[in-house]
C-alpha cells in the first residue's frame, strides 16, 4: 500500500469496519455521517488502495478441535534466501499454522500454531519442522491466553 494518509471520513470507515465488518453499507454510512452511495465508493476506494485487505470471521479455535495454541520459534540454517523463502512457503501451507512471522534476531521465524493438545504440538515440532534439513533450531512456547485490540488507529 502506498503511504497515503487517510482523511477523517476514511479513518472513521476503517475504524467502524475493524470493530464490525458485518455492518451494512447503509448502517456504516449512517455511523460515519455520509450518504450510502458515498460510503460505498469510499469503501471500494479503500480496498483498491490496499487499506482494507479483506473481511473475515473470527472463529473460536477450540470449536475446531484446536484447544492449544503455541508460538514456535524456528532458526533456519544456512540462513540463505533460498532456504528462508522455501520455509516461508512451507509454513504457510501447514494446516496447524495460524500466522507466520519472518523476524529479526536469533530466530528467523515465529509460527503461531493451533493444535489439539500437547501431543499434537510435539508431533508438529518433530514431524513437520525438525525433519526439514534447513531447520537448525526449534523452540516452542504454549500460549496461556491472548488478546487483540478491536481496532487500530493511524499513528500521526
Amino acid at each position: 500500500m502506498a503511504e497515503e494518509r487517510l482523511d477523517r471520513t476514511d479513518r472513521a470507515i476503517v475504524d467502524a469496519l475493524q470493530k464490525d465488518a458485518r455492518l451494512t453499507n447503509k448502517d456504516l454510512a449512517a455511523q460515519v455521517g455520509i450518504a450510502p452511495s458515498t460510503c460505498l465508493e469510499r469503501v471500494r476506494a479503500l480496498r483498491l488502495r490496499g487499506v482494507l485487505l479483506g473481511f473475515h470471521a473470527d472463529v473460536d479455535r477450540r470449536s475446531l478441535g484446536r484447544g492449544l495454541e503455541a508460538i514456535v520459534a524456528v532458526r533456519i540454517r544456512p540462513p540463505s534466501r533460498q532456504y528462508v523463502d522455501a520455509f516461508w512457503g512451507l509454513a504457510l501451507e501447514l494446516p496447524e499454522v495460524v500466522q507466520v512471522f519472518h523476524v529479526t534476531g536469533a530466530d528467523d521465524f515465529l509460527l503461531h500454531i493451533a493444535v489439539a493438545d500437547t501431543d499434537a504440538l510435539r508431533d508438529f515440532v518433530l514431524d513437520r519442522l525438525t525433519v526439514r534439513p534447513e531447520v537448525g533450531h526449534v523452540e516452542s512456547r504454549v500460549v496461556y491466553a491472548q488478546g487483540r485490540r478491536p481496532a487500530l488507529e493511524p499513528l500521526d
Side-chain angles (χ1 to χ4, degrees), residues 11 16 25 34 37 49-51 66 84 86 88-89 99-100 115 118 123 125 141 151 154 156:
R11 288 170 78 160
N25 184 63
I34 57 178
S37 59
R49 287 172 47 196
V51 175
R66 296 168 178 251
V84 166
W88 175 267
Q99 289 182 288
V100 178
V115 293
T118 55
D123 292 346
V125 169
R141 290 178 171 80
D156 292 327

Side-chain angles (χ1 to χ4, degrees), residues 66 86-98 100 111 124 128 132:
R66 296 168 178 251
F87 186 81
W88 175 267
L90 166 81
L92 288 172
E93 292 180 9
L94 295 173
E96 299 88 350
V97 173
V98 176
V100 178
L111 308 178
F124 174 79
R128 302 271 199 183
R132 304 283 307 175

